[in-house]
Protein backbone atom coordinates (compact mmCIF):
# COMPACT_ATOMS: atom_id res chain seq x y z
CA UNK A 1 0.00 0.00 0.00
CA UNK A 2 1.27 3.44 -0.80
CA UNK A 3 0.33 6.67 0.88
CA UNK A 4 -2.10 8.86 -1.00
CA UNK A 5 -1.02 12.38 -1.80
CA UNK A 6 -2.51 15.53 -3.31
CA UNK A 7 -0.07 18.22 -4.43
CA UNK A 8 -1.36 21.76 -5.00
CA UNK A 9 0.51 23.60 -7.73
CA UNK A 10 -0.50 27.24 -7.28
CA UNK A 11 1.65 28.32 -10.26
CA UNK A 12 1.86 32.14 -10.44
CA UNK A 13 -1.03 32.69 -8.00
CA UNK A 14 -2.46 34.33 -5.99
CA UNK A 15 -1.33 37.90 -6.62
CA UNK A 16 -0.89 39.18 -3.07
CA UNK A 17 0.46 38.20 0.30
CA UNK A 18 -2.93 38.46 2.03
CA UNK A 19 -4.71 36.29 -0.51
CA UNK A 20 -1.92 33.75 -0.34
CA UNK A 21 -2.11 33.49 3.42
CA UNK A 22 -5.91 33.16 3.33
CA UNK A 23 -5.66 30.34 0.78
CA UNK A 24 -2.97 28.64 2.85
CA UNK A 25 -5.17 28.78 5.98
CA UNK A 26 -8.21 27.44 4.14
CA UNK A 27 -6.20 24.60 2.66
CA UNK A 28 -4.76 23.84 6.06
CA UNK A 29 -8.20 23.47 7.59
CA UNK A 30 -9.15 21.09 4.79
CA UNK A 31 -6.01 19.04 5.38
CA UNK A 32 -6.78 18.78 9.09
CA UNK A 33 -9.90 16.77 8.29
CA UNK A 34 -7.91 14.00 6.62
CA UNK A 35 -6.40 10.87 8.11
CA UNK A 36 -5.06 8.95 5.14
CA UNK A 37 -4.03 11.63 2.67
CA UNK A 38 -0.96 13.83 2.51
CA UNK A 39 -1.42 17.39 1.24
CA UNK A 40 1.43 19.43 -0.25
CA UNK A 41 1.18 23.12 -1.09
CA UNK A 42 3.54 24.44 -3.76
CA UNK A 43 3.20 28.23 -3.74
CA UNK A 44 5.47 30.76 -5.46
CA UNK A 45 8.89 30.94 -3.74
CA UNK A 46 8.17 34.24 -1.96
CA UNK A 47 5.26 32.79 -0.03
CA UNK A 48 7.26 29.77 1.09
CA UNK A 49 9.36 32.14 3.18
CA UNK A 50 6.26 33.11 5.17
CA UNK A 51 4.45 29.78 5.21
CA UNK A 52 7.21 27.72 6.73
CA UNK A 53 6.81 29.66 9.96
CA UNK A 54 3.12 28.72 10.24
CA UNK A 55 1.94 25.59 12.02
CA UNK A 56 0.75 22.72 9.87
CA UNK A 57 -0.83 19.38 10.66
CA UNK A 58 1.41 16.33 10.25
CA UNK A 59 -0.14 15.39 6.90
CA UNK A 60 0.56 18.77 5.31
CA UNK A 61 3.89 19.83 3.84
CA UNK A 62 5.38 22.56 1.72
CA UNK A 63 6.70 22.06 -1.78
CA UNK A 64 8.37 24.31 -4.34
CA UNK A 65 7.50 24.71 -8.02
CA UNK A 66 11.13 24.73 -9.10
CA UNK A 67 14.70 24.49 -7.77
CA UNK A 68 18.29 24.80 -8.94
CA UNK A 69 21.05 22.20 -8.93
CA UNK A 70 23.99 24.30 -7.75
CA UNK A 71 24.25 24.90 -4.02
CA UNK A 72 25.24 28.58 -4.15
CA UNK A 73 27.16 31.11 -6.19
CA UNK A 74 26.69 33.41 -9.16
CA UNK A 75 23.34 32.14 -10.46
CA UNK A 76 21.03 35.14 -10.54
CA UNK A 77 17.42 34.39 -9.78
CA UNK A 78 17.86 30.78 -8.72
CA UNK A 79 16.92 28.99 -5.49
CA UNK A 80 18.92 25.93 -4.42
CA UNK A 81 17.73 22.66 -2.91
CA UNK A 82 19.68 23.50 0.27
CA UNK A 83 17.83 26.82 0.63
CA UNK A 84 14.55 24.99 0.20
CA UNK A 85 15.54 22.47 2.84
CA UNK A 86 16.35 25.26 5.28
CA UNK A 87 12.76 26.44 4.80
CA UNK A 88 11.34 23.03 5.61
CA UNK A 89 10.35 22.32 2.03
CA UNK A 90 9.83 18.58 1.62
CA UNK A 91 8.77 18.29 -2.05
CA UNK A 92 9.74 20.01 -5.27
CA UNK A 93 8.05 19.91 -8.66
CA UNK A 94 10.59 19.24 -11.41
CA UNK A 95 10.15 19.43 -15.16
CA UNK A 96 6.65 20.83 -15.24
CA UNK A 97 5.53 21.20 -18.85
CA UNK A 98 5.19 24.95 -18.38
CA UNK A 99 8.88 25.12 -17.45
CA UNK A 100 9.86 22.73 -20.22
CA UNK A 101 8.03 25.08 -22.60
CA UNK A 102 10.33 27.86 -21.35
CA UNK A 103 13.33 25.80 -22.41
CA UNK A 104 14.09 23.49 -19.48
CA UNK A 105 15.81 20.35 -20.74
CA UNK A 106 15.85 16.75 -19.51
CA UNK A 107 19.52 17.22 -18.64
CA UNK A 108 18.72 20.17 -16.35
CA UNK A 109 15.81 18.24 -14.88
CA UNK A 110 18.08 15.32 -14.00
CA UNK A 111 20.56 17.68 -12.32
CA UNK A 112 17.75 19.16 -10.27
CA UNK A 113 16.43 15.74 -9.26
CA UNK A 114 19.86 14.60 -8.08
CA UNK A 115 20.44 17.83 -6.13
CA UNK A 116 17.04 17.51 -4.44
CA UNK A 117 17.61 13.87 -3.50
CA UNK A 118 20.89 14.87 -1.86
CA UNK A 119 18.95 17.25 0.37
CA UNK A 120 16.28 14.62 1.05
CA UNK A 121 13.61 16.62 -0.75
CA UNK A 122 11.17 14.52 -2.77
CA UNK A 123 11.27 15.45 -6.46
CA UNK A 124 7.88 15.38 -8.19
CA UNK A 125 8.93 14.63 -11.74
CA UNK A 126 6.39 15.69 -14.37
CA UNK A 127 6.20 13.77 -17.62
CA UNK A 128 3.56 13.78 -20.33
CA UNK A 129 2.96 14.03 -24.03
CA UNK A 130 1.79 17.11 -25.96
CA UNK A 131 -0.64 15.07 -27.99
CA UNK A 132 -1.67 11.48 -28.64
CA UNK A 133 -0.83 10.37 -32.15
CA UNK A 134 -2.30 7.34 -33.92
CA UNK A 135 1.01 5.50 -34.14
CA UNK A 136 1.83 5.46 -30.46
CA UNK A 137 4.81 7.79 -30.77
CA UNK A 138 3.72 9.47 -27.57
CA UNK A 139 4.79 6.30 -25.77
CA UNK A 140 8.43 6.65 -26.73
CA UNK A 141 8.15 10.35 -25.96
CA UNK A 142 7.10 9.56 -22.37
CA UNK A 143 9.73 6.84 -22.09
CA UNK A 144 12.55 9.14 -23.23
CA UNK A 145 11.40 11.93 -20.98
CA UNK A 146 11.33 9.52 -18.06
CA UNK A 147 14.70 7.89 -18.71
CA UNK A 148 16.57 11.12 -19.52
CA UNK A 149 15.14 12.95 -16.51
CA UNK A 150 16.11 10.08 -14.20
CA UNK A 151 19.74 9.99 -15.38
CA UNK A 152 22.02 9.40 -12.41
CA UNK A 153 19.21 8.21 -10.15
CA UNK A 154 19.85 4.86 -8.50
CA UNK A 155 17.28 2.16 -7.92
CA UNK A 156 17.29 2.64 -4.17
CA UNK A 157 16.41 6.33 -4.63
CA UNK A 158 13.29 5.62 -6.70
CA UNK A 159 11.03 5.30 -3.69
CA UNK A 160 11.95 8.88 -2.78
CA UNK A 161 10.57 10.22 -6.06
CA UNK A 162 7.03 10.86 -7.23
CA UNK A 163 6.15 10.72 -10.91
CA UNK A 164 3.36 13.06 -11.98
CA UNK A 165 1.88 11.93 -15.26
CA UNK A 166 0.50 15.08 -16.86
CA UNK A 167 -0.67 14.87 -20.46
CA UNK A 168 -0.10 18.44 -21.64
CA UNK A 169 -3.29 18.49 -23.70
CA UNK A 170 -5.34 18.01 -20.52
CA UNK A 171 -3.71 20.72 -18.38
CA UNK A 172 -5.55 23.86 -17.30
CA UNK A 173 -8.95 23.01 -18.75
CA UNK A 174 -12.00 21.57 -17.02
CA UNK A 175 -12.90 18.12 -15.79
CA UNK A 176 -14.61 17.42 -19.15
CA UNK A 177 -11.20 17.69 -20.83
CA UNK A 178 -9.24 15.57 -18.36
CA UNK A 179 -7.95 12.21 -19.46
CA UNK A 180 -10.34 9.28 -19.04
CA UNK A 181 -9.70 7.13 -15.95
CA UNK A 182 -9.06 4.14 -18.25
CA UNK A 183 -6.50 6.13 -20.21
CA UNK A 184 -4.78 7.16 -16.99
CA UNK A 185 -4.62 3.55 -15.81
CA UNK A 186 -3.16 2.38 -19.10
CA UNK A 187 -0.45 5.05 -18.98
CA UNK A 188 0.34 4.37 -15.32
CA UNK A 189 0.90 0.71 -16.21
CA UNK A 190 3.18 1.72 -19.06
CA UNK A 191 5.23 4.05 -16.88
CA UNK A 192 5.67 1.20 -14.40
CA UNK A 193 6.72 -1.08 -17.24
CA UNK A 194 9.30 1.44 -18.46
CA UNK A 195 10.68 1.82 -14.96
CA UNK A 196 10.85 -1.95 -14.47
CA UNK A 197 12.66 -2.20 -17.78
CA UNK A 198 15.27 0.30 -16.63
CA UNK A 199 15.61 -0.66 -12.99
CA UNK A 200 14.42 -4.26 -12.73
CA UNK A 201 11.27 -5.71 -11.24
CA UNK A 202 10.72 -4.80 -7.64
CA UNK A 203 7.49 -2.92 -7.40
CA UNK A 204 8.00 -2.00 -3.74
CA UNK A 205 10.85 0.20 -4.85
CA UNK A 206 9.04 2.03 -7.63
CA UNK A 207 8.03 5.68 -7.28
CA UNK A 208 4.49 6.66 -6.55
CA UNK A 209 2.61 7.77 -9.66
CA UNK A 210 0.05 10.58 -9.54
CA UNK A 211 -2.06 12.21 -12.25
CA UNK A 212 -2.31 15.89 -13.21
CA UNK A 213 -4.36 17.65 -15.87
CA UNK A 214 -7.77 19.12 -14.99
CA UNK A 215 -8.30 17.00 -11.91
CA UNK A 216 -11.29 18.55 -10.17
CA UNK A 217 -13.78 17.71 -7.45
CA UNK A 218 -16.12 16.07 -9.93
CA UNK A 219 -13.73 13.65 -11.61
CA UNK A 220 -11.34 12.94 -8.74
CA UNK A 221 -13.09 9.85 -7.43
CA UNK A 222 -13.19 8.05 -10.79
CA UNK A 223 -9.66 9.06 -11.71
CA UNK A 224 -8.45 7.77 -8.38
CA UNK A 225 -10.31 4.45 -8.34
CA UNK A 226 -10.25 3.57 -12.02
CA UNK A 227 -7.02 5.34 -12.92
CA UNK A 228 -5.20 3.54 -10.08
CA UNK A 229 -3.03 6.49 -9.15
CA UNK A 230 -1.64 7.46 -5.76
CA UNK A 231 -3.14 10.95 -5.95
CA UNK A 232 -3.05 14.16 -7.95
CA UNK A 233 -1.03 17.18 -8.94
CA UNK A 234 -3.68 19.88 -8.99
CA UNK A 235 -3.37 23.25 -10.70
CA UNK A 236 -6.38 25.57 -11.04
CA UNK A 237 -8.65 23.63 -8.69
CA UNK A 238 -6.13 24.09 -5.85
CA UNK A 239 -6.92 27.83 -5.89
CA UNK A 240 -10.57 27.15 -5.13
CA UNK A 241 -11.00 25.67 -1.63
CA UNK A 242 -14.45 24.21 -2.45
CA UNK A 243 -13.15 22.37 -5.47
CA UNK A 244 -9.91 21.37 -3.76
CA UNK A 245 -11.84 20.18 -0.71
CA UNK A 246 -13.90 17.87 -2.93
CA UNK A 247 -10.76 16.42 -4.45
CA UNK A 248 -9.29 15.80 -1.01
CA UNK A 249 -12.48 14.09 0.16
CA UNK A 250 -12.55 11.86 -2.92
CA UNK A 251 -8.94 10.84 -2.42
CA UNK A 252 -9.42 10.23 1.28
CA UNK A 253 -12.46 8.02 0.59
CA UNK A 254 -10.83 6.07 -2.23
CA UNK A 255 -9.27 2.66 -1.84
CA UNK A 256 -5.61 2.63 -0.91
CA UNK A 257 -3.68 3.66 -3.97
CA UNK A 258 -2.43 1.07 -6.38
CA UNK A 259 0.23 2.98 -8.23
P1 LIG B 1 -4.48 21.86 -13.89
O1 LIG B 1 -2.89 21.94 -13.79
O2 LIG B 1 -4.97 21.08 -12.71
O3 LIG B 1 -4.93 23.30 -13.87
O4 LIG B 1 -4.80 21.18 -15.17
C1 LIG B 1 -2.14 20.83 -13.43
C2 LIG B 1 -0.68 21.19 -13.53
O5 LIG B 1 -0.31 21.92 -14.45
O6 LIG B 1 0.13 20.75 -12.69
Amino acid sequence: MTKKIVIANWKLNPVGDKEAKALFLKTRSLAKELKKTEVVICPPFLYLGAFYKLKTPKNMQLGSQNSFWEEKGAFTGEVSAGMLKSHDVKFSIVGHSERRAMGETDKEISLKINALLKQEIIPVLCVGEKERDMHGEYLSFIKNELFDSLAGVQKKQLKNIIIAYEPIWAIGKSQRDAMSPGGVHETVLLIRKFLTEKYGADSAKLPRIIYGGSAEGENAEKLMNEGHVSGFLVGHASLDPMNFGQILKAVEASQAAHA
Side-chain angles (χ1 to χ4, degrees), residues 129-140 169 186:
E129 75 282 1
K130 283 193 194 69
E131 56 193 8
R132 290 225 155 183
D133 56 290
M134 302 277 281
H135 312 290
E137 270 172 35
Y138 67 93
L139 294 174
S140 40
W169 49 269
E186 207 178 279

Side-chain angles (χ1 to χ4, degrees), residues 6 25 54 108 116 124 126 141 173 180 229 255:
V6 181
L25 295 177
L54 302 174
E108 289 167 343
L116 289 164
V124 181
C126 302
F141 179 86
K173 297 184 176 159
S180 70
V229 286
Q255 295 301 308

Side-chain angles (χ1 to χ4, degrees), residues 9 11 96 98 166 170-172 213-215 233-236:
N9 177 11
K11 307 190 180 182
H96 191 280
E98 287 152 15
E166 297 209 301
I171 291 178
S214 299
L233 179 55
V234 183
H236 65 273

Side-chain angles (χ1 to χ4, degrees), residues 214-251:
S214 299
E216 293 188 352
E218 274 189 49
N219 58 4
E221 187 188 334
K222 274 197 164 228
L223 281 169
M224 196 67 194
N225 289 328
E226 296 169 30
H228 301 281
V229 286
S230 289
F232 300 111
L233 179 55
V234 183
H236 65 273
S238 69
L239 303 171
D240 169 3
M242 271 255 284
N243 204 336
F244 196 59
Q246 280 180 347
I247 296 177
L248 293 178
K249 273 201 190 128
V251 173

Side-chain angles (χ1 to χ4, degrees), residues 101-113:
M102 291 180 219
E104 189 163 274
T105 64
D106 285 332
K107 170 78 188 152
E108 289 167 343
I109 291 164
S110 73
L111 290 170
K112 290 180 182 187
I113 290 179

